[in-house]
Amino acid sequence: MSGHGIRERLLVLLVAALGTSAIRGQTLELIALETDLKLPYQDLTEADMDGDGRKDLFFALADPPRWEIRLRLPGNAGFGPPRVIPVPAGVAAIALARVVPPAGYDIVTLAADGLAVIPGGAGGNGKPRPWCRVDLLFPPGHRGVPHHWTWGDDIDGDGRQDVFVPGLEGDLLVRGGADGKPAGPPERMPGPPTRVVRRRTGRGLVEVRRMRPRSELARLYSGASVPAWLGRDGLYAVPRTPTGFAAPMNLFPLKARAQAGLGILRRTDVDLTDLNGDKVCDLVLTRTEAKGGTFPDRRTDLLFFKNTGQPARAPAQVLLLPGVLSSGPDVGDVNGDGIADLFLSVFAGDVKSEALRRMFGFRVTLDYHLYLGTGGARAPFPRSPTLSLSDKVDNRTFETWSLRHRRVLSHDWNGDGILDLVDFKADAKTCTVTVTYGKTEAGRYELGDATTEFTWTGKVTGYGVVSMGEGAAAARLKTATGVVYVTAKR
Amino acid sequence: MSGFWSLLRLDLALLRRRRLPRWIAGGALGSVVLSIAFSSAGDGEGARLVASALRFLVAVIIGLTTVLGAVSISGDAASGALRGVMLRPVGRPAVVLAHATATSLFVMAIYVTGLIIALVAGSTLCGYGDVLYEEYVVIGADEMAGFMFRLVLLPLPALLIPPLLALCISTRMDDGATAVVLALVATVGPLLFGFVSGDVPEWVFTERAMHPATVLGKLAQGYQLDADRVDSVEYIAACVWQPALWLISFAGLGILLFHRREIHT
């Protein structure tokens, strides 16, 4: 290597280091990266298709059915021209997975008779090539332009991404191989038992419906995804063994609660996430239900079960919240202390507030609560929120799911390891994104006075915060025909 | 301030003898008994019973004692008693302060009596146990007792404001009915708005009175959202100094308005 080459590389490293430190802990300059397709799209997924470490855009469009990939250009130049891929006949859905070397996500098409792969980078010709012959079954309502079904993930622990697909009799694992081909035939994974529902029809005939509940991939251990499902008596997972997979295990036995009164309004969600930093995922169980009376109160129960490798029969902590859970529970390290914190939002949702909203147009109050993790051996979170924020949204904003949550605390924008709050304020003509930088004072998380604001002119149909690459948070503003990413200038 | 003590004695004697204060006391304590009778609190849920009784009691006291304050000076003026009082060697501030003190003592007496009834009923009918979610203890009985001890006393300072506000209005009114209507609008208005929308700022006196009772009810059901906040010195202090500011303001305004009023003796 010549001395000139070494100097050049050192210079590049120096510039990169200076660029990073200039962003870390500082307020930012925000810019908008805009992509307009000039016509409505069905679905949008951000994924690093070309393997450059920054996310590109993957659109699904109808009439004619096609996908469009727009690669991220270097610097602040936005996104490149579209690479159009016509949807092959018979495709029902797609999975984005890294199955064909080199790096970068590929498009795995899922059809009733098998899987095919379209390399995602710029090198491919857009033609699918058969990848795995297997019979698949999709839910009856699954139709339209084939869009994102699942992500590739390392399920068998060999360091390569696999694809988890809905087989005819059960969910199937298609292992990714080193040469870009599947490593062996698909393997049927243990799953929830088939349920048969019988119902007598008006003419005395019996309608028999066979239902096959599906399993989902859950990160049971940090970095290891395994199939899991919520049964009536608990959360089942399929543990990985050195040679394959063990029999399903009821990891978190839960009491089957009797249906009574207005119990039909009950909803249960489960999340597996590491609450105490032991690299083993614990269970966060969320129940939202109406509780008794002529005018029932809505209540959200959060139950936290520690994963000890043995069935956990009692929760480590219970948090009861008045109202209906609206967003979250999002578990992540908010204050940068390495301990999982909890962020969620609730609204009243009871008869009184619904009547006021519908009859008199009262604004709806969304309460956002942040619980900083205790790291304690017993309860993972304090009993009361460390920080509570409130937002009042008008009826239209409340009823539009993609516009309802105007406060997002999910990403670190300035690289100081502390999450920053993003506020969205949209009207018919503009959308303003405000980043308020978080800080810690004596171990407590606070929102600082410093903010950065950016106003984009145009009508948005939805917003949220996404990651566009390592340490690159962006506010995503969806429009009817495109998308705008408001992100830090690099 | 001349003649304050003699006026206070007179006002207290009138409170005992008149029919309206008796009806108000009866109505407030009756509401406590009714809320206890219709409570759905079960075994060990005495705190829930006390919280629901307190919410009733606070709301009724706000409404009824407003009427008492509104008819105090305006009622005296209409009956001619005010002219008789002013013929005696008393100062005008003493007249207002004596009425305010007598009414405040009356409110305190009703509230403490209602509270004692609720606490005794909670103890005998339900008992004070752990707050449970299924079999899991959300709040222990000892901690709940600590919450209850603080939260049942905190509405009291704010409860003294409605009669004083009404008294302030009555200092300018000869017509008792008009004074009652105006005072009810000023006191029961925010209370009703808070009941309907749940959206009244905490520093408003009606919400300052209702909030501790509401939080006690939530804690008794296991909702710990406000547990740390109501446990803090800041919250307890705010429940005292904010009502104190309201009270001083209304007393001062009442004295000022009454001072400028023309009374033909």
Side-chain angles (χ1 to χ4, degrees):
Chain A
M1 188 182 289
S2 69
H4 176 73
I6 291 171
R7 275 200 302 275
E8 201 172 55
R9 286 182 184 207
L10 282 173
L11 192 64
V12 168
L13 281 173
L14 183 66
V15 168
L18 283 174
T20 310
S21 62
I23 285 175
R24 184 170 297 140
Q26 303 294 313
T27 54
L28 308 170
E29 184 184 349
L30 299 179
I31 56 165
L33 307 176
E34 195 170 341
T35 297
D36 194 354
L37 284 70
K38 308 289 185 198
L39 75 170
Y41 55 92
Q42 305 291 309
D43 192 42
L44 165 65
T45 307
E46 292 100 359
D48 178 13
M49 306 298 285
D50 54 0
D52 65 351
R54 298 188 307 168
K55 290 190 179 172
D56 312 300
L57 306 184
F58 181 87
F59 289 98
L61 295 101
D63 201 22
R66 64 192 185 282
W67 299 306
E68 275 193 22
I69 297 174
R70 296 192 179 222
L71 298 179
R72 178 81 185 269
L73 299 175
N76 299 314
F79 299 93
R83 177 185 162 207
V84 180
I85 303 170
V87 174
V91 173
I94 61 146
L96 293 177
R98 297 173 194 267
V99 291
V100 179
Y105 276 93
D106 309 300
I107 306 160
V108 179
T109 62
L110 279 62
D113 59 349
L115 311 179
V117 66
I118 303 171
N125 59 2
K127 296 276 173 58
R129 63 179 163 83
W131 197 60
C132 178
R133 175 75 185 85
V134 60
D135 291 329
L136 301 183
L137 178 68
F138 295 93
H142 187 79
R143 52 175 69 94
V145 181
H147 58 262
H148 191 249
W149 174 273
T150 184
W151 291 96
D153 210 333
D154 180 16
I155 301 167
D156 57 3
D158 63 356
R160 285 186 292 272
Q161 288 206 340
D162 315 303
V163 186
F164 193 63
V165 292
L168 212 53
E169 295 294 328
D171 294 315
L172 302 169
L173 169 65
V174 183
R175 299 170 195 264
D179 54 356
K181 293 177 182 171
E187 180 183 347
R188 184 175 163 186
M189 300 296 290
T194 302
R195 281 194 294 134
V196 177
V197 178
R198 291 184 178 84
R199 189 169 66 88
R200 188 167 290 279
T201 64
R203 294 181 180 177
L205 301 171
V206 175
E207 179 189 75
V208 179
R209 187 183 292 174
R210 192 160 173 250
M211 301 169 78
R212 187 171 74 73
R214 298 181 188 282
S215 47
E216 301 279 346
L217 286 181
R219 290 198 175 272
L220 194 56
Y221 307 97
S222 293
S225 294
V226 295
W229 66 90
L230 186 67
R232 285 182 64 81
D233 57 344
L235 183 87
Y236 287 82
V238 184
R240 193 193 281 170
T241 65
T243 55
F245 294 93
M249 173 185 181
N250 188 352
L251 194 58
F252 297 103
L254 304 170
K255 275 186 208 155
R257 304 178 79 200
Q259 295 279 337
L262 292 158
I264 49 169
L265 293 173
R266 181 183 304 152
R267 174 185 160 168
T268 303
D269 297 289
V270 289
D271 293 288
L272 286 168
T273 187
D274 182 8
L275 295 174
N276 49 355
D278 60 357
K279 309 285 183 199
V280 179
C281 285
D282 309 293
L283 177 70
V284 181
L285 187 137
T286 311
R287 286 192 193 120
T288 297
E289 60 187 349
K291 296 295 287 184
T294 311
F295 300 108
D297 280 335
R298 298 279 181 87
R299 192 175 89 177
T300 296
D301 313 334
L302 291 163
L303 285 78
F304 303 95
F305 293 83
K306 292 276 182 69
N307 185 352
T308 57
Q310 298 297 318
R313 299 192 181 279
Q317 187 177 12
V318 175
L319 288 178
L320 308 182
L321 299 171
V324 178
L325 192 76
S326 189
S327 71
D330 298 321
V331 177
D333 184 9
V334 172
N335 57 349
D337 62 354
I339 301 169
D341 309 309
L342 179 72
F343 188 64
L344 50 85
S345 74
V346 289
F347 65 94
D350 56 357
V351 174
K352 186 179 79 176
S353 61
E354 284 295 299
L356 288 172
R357 180 172 71 83
R358 289 162 197 266
M359 292 166 67
F360 304 112
F362 270 44
R363 290 185 296 168
V364 181
T365 303
L366 278 170
D367 291 316
Y368 294 84
H369 300 301
L370 169 67
Y371 294 79
L372 289 184
T374 59
R378 179 71 185 154
F381 301 108
R383 62 185 180 179
S384 299
T386 317
L387 178 74
S388 291
L389 304 167
S390 191
D391 186 27
K392 288 181 191 298
V393 294
D394 59 46
N395 212 358
R396 180 183 150 272
T397 307
F398 179 76
E399 287 177 349
T400 311
W401 181 258
S402 56
L403 296 174
R404 180 190 286 184
H405 301 111
R406 306 193 300 183
R407 310 193 115 176
V408 182
L409 184 67
S410 60
H411 287 76
D412 172 20
W413 282 67
N414 57 354
D416 60 358
I418 300 168
L419 301 196
D420 307 307
L421 182 76
V422 179
D423 281 284
F424 294 94
K425 195 173 181 182
D427 55 33
K429 292 179 180 169
T430 60
C431 180
T432 301
V433 178
T434 307
V435 180
T436 306
Y437 302 100
K439 61 179 184 179
T440 51
E441 290 273 339
R444 287 181 66 87
Y445 176 84
E446 290 176 6
L447 293 171
D449 299 326
T451 59
T452 306
E453 198 172 281
F454 184 90
T455 300
W456 181 77
T457 305
K459 188 178 181 191
V460 299
T461 57
Y463 36 65
V465 179
V466 294
S467 171
M468 293 303 284
E470 189 65 37
R476 180 176 65 189
L477 313 180
K478 281 189 176 177
T479 65
T481 60
V483 63
V484 181
Y485 293 92
V486 177
T487 186
K489 189 175 181 182
R490 303 260 160 191
Chain B
M1 289 294 289
S2 56
F4 171 75
W5 293 108
S6 62
L7 282 172
L8 181 61
R9 276 197 298 275
L10 176 68
D11 284 341
L12 289 174
L14 286 174
L15 276 176
R16 280 200 305 274
R17 285 179 204 156
R18 282 181 177 165
R19 196 171 287 171
L20 180 64
R22 286 185 208 163
W23 277 103
I24 288 171
L29 300 179
S31 72
V32 173
V33 174
L34 272 179
S35 91
I36 290 167
F38 287 99
S39 173
S40 61
D43 281 348
E45 293 183 326
R48 263 187 73 189
L49 187 140
V50 172
S52 64
L54 276 196
R55 272 176 67 79
F56 259 100
L57 181 64
V58 168
V60 171
I61 284 179
I62 287 174
L64 296 186
T65 57
T66 297
V67 177
L68 188 66
V71 298
S72 54
I73 292 180
S74 59
D76 287 353
S79 67
L82 186 62
R83 205 165 52 236
V85 168
M86 296 311 295
L87 283 172
R88 298 165 68 178
V90 293
R92 289 196 175 194
V95 175
V96 176
L97 286 178
H99 270 105
T101 309
T103 318
S104 299
L105 290 173
F106 178 68
V107 170
M108 280 192 231
I110 297 176
Y111 183 75
V112 171
T113 311
L115 179 62
I116 290 169
I117 293 171
L119 288 171
V120 170
S123 172
T124 51
L125 299 178
C126 305
Y128 299 109
D130 297 329
V131 179
L132 299 172
Y133 174 83
E134 294 174 353
E135 302 94 28
Y136 183 81
V137 178
V138 180
I139 307 175
D142 292 342
E143 195 184 10
M144 197 63 213
F147 278 124
M148 205 159 66
F149 176 72
R150 273 192 300 278
L151 292 173
V152 296
L153 295 176
L154 289 178
L156 194 49
L159 277 181
L160 306 181
I161 298 169
L164 204 60
L165 192 158
L167 177 72
C168 192
I169 291 171
S170 81
T171 54
R172 290 294 289 176
M173 295 278 166
D174 283 336
D175 179 14
T178 310
V180 167
V181 170
L182 284 176
L184 283 176
V185 168
T187 57
V188 179
L191 182 73
L192 284 178
F193 187 74
F195 270 132
V196 173
S197 72
D199 210 15
V200 177
E202 249 176 51
W203 53 264
V204 175
F205 60 91
T206 49
E207 189 58 20
R208 196 41 92 191
M210 291 300 294
H211 193 261
T214 307
V215 171
L216 181 62
K218 296 282 183 197
L219 285 168
Q221 293 174 68
Y223 302 119
Q224 300 182 74
L225 263 180
D226 291 311
D228 285 340
R229 202 164 73 85
V230 299
D231 222 6
S232 66
V233 178
E234 290 85 5
Y235 181 80
I236 297 167
C239 285
V240 177
W241 71 259
Q242 283 179 0
L245 279 183
W246 282 97
L247 287 170
I248 292 167
S249 306
F250 284 130
L253 186 64
I255 290 170
L256 187 70
L257 291 174
F258 193 60
H259 190 71
R260 292 181 177 178
R261 178 173 172 165
E262 286 185 10
I263 302 166
H264 303 287
T265 52

